[in-house]
Amino acid sequence: MSYTNVFIIADTEANLKELSCGASTLGSKFSTVIFDEQLQSVAASYGPEKIYHFQAPESGIIEDNARVIADMVQAASPEMVLLSNTTRGRLLAGKIGAYLDTCVIAGVTELTEEGTKRMVYGGAAFRTQKATAQTAVVTCNAGVFEVSEGQASGDAAVEAGSAASDVKIKKIETQPKEGVSSNIAIAKKVVDMGRGFKEEKDVEMCRELASLLGAELGCSRPVAENNGWLPKSVYIGVTGIILKPEMIVSLCISGQVQHMVGINQAKKIIAINKDERAPIFASCDLGLVGDVYQILPMLIEKLK
Amino acid sequence: MDIIACIKVVPEEQDIVTLPNNELSFDKVQWKIGQYDLNAVEAGKQLAKQTGGSLKVLTIGGDALSKTKIRKDILSRGADELNIVVTDQKLDDSLMTAKAIVEALKEMGSFDLLLFGTGSSDIYSQQTGNQVGALLDMPVLNEVNAIEEGGAGLKVERMLENEVEVLELPVPAVLSVTSEINTPTIPGMRDIMAAGKKPVNELSADISSLTEYSEVVSDLAPVQKDRQLKVLKGETEEMVDALIQFLNS
Ligand SMILES: Cc1cc2nc3c(=O)[nH]c(=O)nc-3n(C[C@H](O)[C@H](O)[C@H](O)COP(=O)(O)OP(=O)(O)OC[C@H]3O[C@@H](n4cnc5c(N)ncnc54)[C@H](O)[C@@H]3O)c2cc1C
C-alpha cells in the first residue's frame, strides 16, 4: 500500500524540512501544518497540497491546538499524520491520537510502506508494527528521512486554522538552554565521549578531535545526565538519539547494549578503551586498547 | 493534594534472552517497576508530603502483579495505597492502555494530579500520560522537570529540546515527569516493613472490550553488522598511526 494522503505537523523549521522530505517520498499528496507564519514559504517550497497555519493562544502553547487540528485532520481523513519525536511533537501526537481514537506509533526509526520500526525493551529488539486504524499518528526520530532543500514553486494555498480550544495552560516564560544546537542526528561523522573520562575539561579534547575530523560531538547517557558535561540532546542510545553515521569514534565507552543500539548502524566504529575486555571491542571495526590520555593527545597532534 | 501515580511493571531487560532466530524469550524474566516510573512515584511522594496530601499508585498488567513481592516493592516507595487491575489483555498500544487507566480511575475517587513517568522502560512510547489527559479532557503536559503548588493550581517547568518552559495550570491535571526531576529514594528497612501493612485494592475495571489500533508484526533482536574486529594493543604511536591510516582508507 502506498500512502495517498499524508499530513505533517511541524513545530520547528528543521522538523518542517525533514517531515516535508519524508512526506513527499511516502505519499502522493501531503498537507502541512505549521505554527509560525514565517515558515510558510519554506513549507510551500516542498510542494504540499495545502498549508494550514495554527497559532498558539496568547500566553498558551502550540499543543493547545490539538483538538482543532484533530477536527481538521478528521475531515481530510489522511492515512497518516507525521510529527517529529520531540517534546512538543509527542504531546501533539498523543492528544491528536486520542481525539481521533487511533494509535500513536512513537519514536520511529524506520518508516516504509510495510510499516514502522522502533526500538523496544531497552534496545533488545526492533519492533515492526502496522497501524490497523484508518489514520495512524506517527512520530519520527531525527534522521529517519534524508533532508534536501525544497524545489517547488511555492504557491500552495494557505489556510488559517481555527483558534485553539484547549486554553487551560498558561505560559509564564521560557528560558533558553545553553549550547544545545547540534547537527549530530544527521552528522556523517561522530565523536562519542564516554564516562571513562575524568574531568569536565576533557570535553575540550574530544571537541578538538571532532573538529579535526569534521565530526559532531555526542556522548553516552551518564556523561550528559550524571556529569552534565554535554547537553542531554546529544546523548546516544535507546533513550537518546539513534545514529546512522559513516563513522563513529567511541572514546571510553564500555559498550552497554543501551548505548550500542544508538551506534550499531554506523558504517565504521572505532573504539578506544583501556580495558581489553570491554564489550565494545566485540562490535567495532578498529579498536585500540590503551589509555585515552596517551592516545588522544598524540592523535590530535598528528592530525594537525 | 491528592495524587495518583500510574506505573507499569515491566520485564527486567537483562533477563530477556535472544533466541538463535533473533526472537526474544521472556521465559526467565523477573518483573520490576519501570525505571522511569520510579521518578513519578518519587515526585508524587514529595508533593504529597509538601501539600499534606496523599499518594495512591495505580498499575495495570498481567499475572506478575499477583505476586506479593512486587506489590510490597511498589508500596515501599512511598504510596499510601496500591490499586491494581490484573488482566490478560496485551497492552501494547498506548491508547488502549490509556483507556484502561481511565476505566480504572473511575473506581478510585477524585484526584488533583495524575503522574506518569516519561515512558515505560519496555515499550517507551511516551504517550500514555498524554492520551489519558486528552481522554479526561484535563490539562496535560509531558517532560515536566519541576512541580510546585502555585497560581491557580500548579506551576511547572517543562523541558523542550532547547528551552525550558515555565507554565501554570489548574488541577485536576495530568503530568508526565522527566527522568531527571528527582533521584528516587531507595526504600529502607522501615519502608519495606510498613509496605506490608498498606492496603492493596484489586479493581474490577472491565477492560476486556478494548481493542488495539495497531498490530505488532515482530519483535526481533537487531541484526549485528559484520565488523572488522581489528583490535590493537601495544605501542601508543603504532596504534595512533594505524588509526590514522584507517581514517584515511
Ligand atoms: C533503561 C535504561 C536506558 C538506558 N539508556 C541509555 C542510552 O540511551 N544511552 C546510553 O549511553 N546509556 C544508556 N543507559 C546506560 C547504560 O546501561 C550504560 O550505563 C552506559 O551506556 C555506560 O556509559 P559509558 O560506556 O560511557 O560508561 P561506562 O560503562 O562506565 O564505561 C566507561 C569505559 O571507559 C573506560 N575507561 C576508563 N578510563 C579510561 C582511560 N583512561 N582510557 C581509556 N578507557 C578508559 C573503561 O574501561 C570503561 O569501559 C541506559 C540504562 C538503562 C537501565
Side-chain angles (χ1 to χ4, degrees):
Chain A
M1 181 195 91
S2 156
Y3 300 100
T4 54
N5 189 9
V6 174
F7 266 68
I8 64 170
I9 302 176
D11 59 328
T12 65
E13 180 166 357
N15 295 341
L16 172 62
K17 289 182 170 175
E18 182 162 4
L19 294 172
S20 297
C21 289
S24 51
T25 54
L26 283 169
S28 53
K29 68 175 192 186
F30 71 98
S31 297
T32 303
V33 174
I34 53 172
F35 302 95
D36 176 355
E37 217 161 3
Q38 293 180 352
L39 292 179
Q40 258 176 38
S41 62
V42 179
S45 72
Y46 291 91
E49 193 188 32
K50 235 180 183 171
I51 298 169
Y52 297 87
H53 172 227
F54 286 85
Q55 249 174 323
E58 201 168 332
S59 74
I61 54 178
I62 62 171
E63 292 92 323
D64 296 337
N65 290 293
R67 171 91 60 182
V68 286
I69 295 174
D71 290 344
M72 186 269 293
V73 167
Q74 185 138 41
S77 168
E79 291 118 310
M80 188 161 57
V81 179
L82 263 189
L83 302 100
S84 296
N85 197 42
T86 56
T87 300
R88 289 201 195 289
R90 284 195 298 273
L91 182 53
L92 277 165
K95 293 178 82 176
I96 292 171
Y99 297 145
L100 293 176
D101 197 30
T102 189
C103 63
V104 178
I105 305 182
V108 162
T109 54
E110 209 180 308
L111 178 58
T112 62
E113 285 171 16
E114 280 74 51
T116 58
K117 270 197 188 172
R118 57 185 303 274
M119 218 171 264
V120 290
Y121 302 116
F126 275 100
R127 167 166 291 185
T128 304
Q129 200 170 347
K130 254 187 179 150
T132 48
Q134 191 186 10
T135 301
V137 178
V138 173
T139 72
C140 286
N141 284 3
V144 169
F145 303 115
E146 217 147 304
V147 181
S148 55
E149 292 302 315
Q151 307 285 343
S153 60
D155 49 8
V158 181
E159 197 173 298
S162 335
S165 58
D166 315 347
V167 288
K168 293 177 196 140
I169 295 172
K170 196 166 141 213
K171 175 140 97 185
I172 310 298
E173 59 172 336
T174 48
Q175 302 152 355
K177 282 203 254 170
E178 276 166 33
V180 285
S181 92
S182 165
N183 292 314
I184 185 162
I186 52 170
K188 294 261 185 290
K189 293 179 183 176
V190 173
V191 171
D192 177 12
M193 180 177 188
R195 176 157 59 179
F197 282 95
K198 296 196 186 87
E199 297 180 82
E200 181 164 10
K201 74 172 175 31
D202 297 335
V203 172
E204 286 323 306
M205 237 194 321
C206 297
R207 227 182 260 296
E208 190 169 11
L209 176 67
S211 86
L212 286 167
L213 294 175
E216 293 283 335
L217 181 60
C219 61
S220 64
R221 181 161 143 165
V223 171
E225 225 154 67
N226 306 38
N227 302 356
W229 293 350
L230 285 171
K232 289 185 196 84
S233 54
V234 303
Y235 89 71
I236 302 162
V238 61
T239 48
I241 37 178
I242 311 277
L243 300 175
K244 289 185 209 167
E246 299 284 320
M247 187 189 81
I248 185 157
V249 185
S250 292
L251 308 167
C252 300
I253 295 277
S254 59
Q256 303 305 311
V257 60
Q258 293 93 353
H259 185 78
M260 293 309 286
V261 291
I263 72 171
N264 263 335
Q265 296 178 74
K267 281 228 180 75
K268 293 273 182 295
I269 299 177
I270 300 172
I272 301 177
N273 194 306
K274 69 176 180 188
D275 177 8
E276 196 175 338
R277 290 158 311 164
I280 195 163
F281 287 131
S283 42
C284 68
D285 294 283
L286 178 67
L288 307 191
V289 181
D291 185 351
V292 80
Y293 290 102
Q294 290 178 8
I295 297 174
L296 195 50
M298 188 182 289
L299 177 62
I300 288 171
E301 254 340 284
K302 291 203 179 214
L303 285 173
K304 278 185 188 159
Chain B
M1 199 170 290
D2 293 323
I3 303 164
I4 299 175
C6 300
I7 70 166
K8 185 174 183 186
V9 170
V10 301
E12 167 66 64
E13 298 89 17
Q14 291 175 358
D15 301 338
I16 302 175
V17 175
T18 306
L19 303 171
N21 63 359
N22 277 344
E23 286 179 13
L24 304 182
S25 162
F26 291 82
D27 292 349
K28 299 221 167 68
V29 295
Q30 301 282 327
W31 294 78
K32 62 170 188 182
I33 305 169
Q35 158 127 355
Y36 310 110
D37 296 341
L38 294 174
N39 299 102
V41 175
E42 180 71 26
K45 180 174 101 180
Q46 291 179 7
L47 205 60
K49 198 169 165 206
Q50 282 160 27
T51 60
S54 68
L55 172 68
K56 296 177 185 173
V57 167
L58 168 63
T59 185
I60 304 180
D63 258 350
L65 298 181
S66 308
K67 302 241 161 64
T68 318
K69 186 162 166 265
I70 190 81
R71 293 179 172 195
K72 269 178 105 171
D73 188 11
I74 297 169
L75 283 166
S76 70
R77 312 264 166 181
D80 304 311
E81 171 189 313
L82 174 60
N83 294 266
I84 292 183
V85 179
V86 181
T87 173
D88 46 18
Q89 280 267 31
K90 275 196 93 169
L91 295 168
D92 273 339
D93 187 292
S94 57
L95 184 57
M96 193 172 154
T97 308
K99 287 184 176 178
I101 289 171
V102 169
E103 215 35 59
L105 287 171
K106 288 180 188 159
E107 288 175 58
M108 290 180 62
S110 67
F111 58 86
D112 300 305
L113 180 60
L114 270 189
L115 288 175
F116 289 80
T118 181
S120 62
S121 44
D122 54 352
I123 308 301
Y124 203 68
S125 290
Q126 305 183 277
Q127 285 298 340
T128 307
N130 300 342
Q131 294 185 307
V132 168
L135 292 174
L136 294 174
D137 201 18
M138 288 177 186
V140 53
L141 289 170
N142 56 349
E143 300 300 330
V144 170
N145 204 41
I147 310 173
E148 60 181 68
E149 272 191 307
L154 294 170
K155 188 169 168 196
V156 304
E157 271 178 36
R158 179 181 186 223
M159 303 295 266
L160 303 179
E161 282 65 27
N162 42 24
E163 54 189 21
V164 181
E165 276 181 335
V166 182
L167 304 161
E168 269 177 14
L169 62 161
V171 293
V174 181
L175 303 176
S176 301
V177 300
T178 64
S179 56
E180 295 96 56
I181 187 169
N182 51 42
T183 308
T185 17
I186 296 164
M189 211 47 220
R190 193 178 299 179
D191 303 313
I192 296 168
M193 299 297 286
K197 302 192 189 79
K198 291 178 178 173
V200 177
N201 307 320
E202 290 200 26
L203 305 179
S204 56
D206 179 15
I207 55 172
S208 58
S209 61
L210 296 178
T211 50
E212 295 194 311
Y213 303 79
S214 63
E215 174 197 338
V216 174
V217 180
S218 62
D219 283 341
L220 295 174
V223 188
Q224 296 296 329
K225 268 205 172 70
D226 277 336
R227 298 280 172 197
Q228 296 173 30
L229 299 175
K230 217 166 99 183
V231 179
L232 311 175
K233 45 187 169 175
E235 280 294 315
T236 304
E237 181 147 22
E238 277 171 30
M239 290 197 288
V240 169
D241 289 341
L243 202 170
I244 290 174
Q245 202 182 351
F246 186 88
L247 289 173
N248 293 334
S249 65

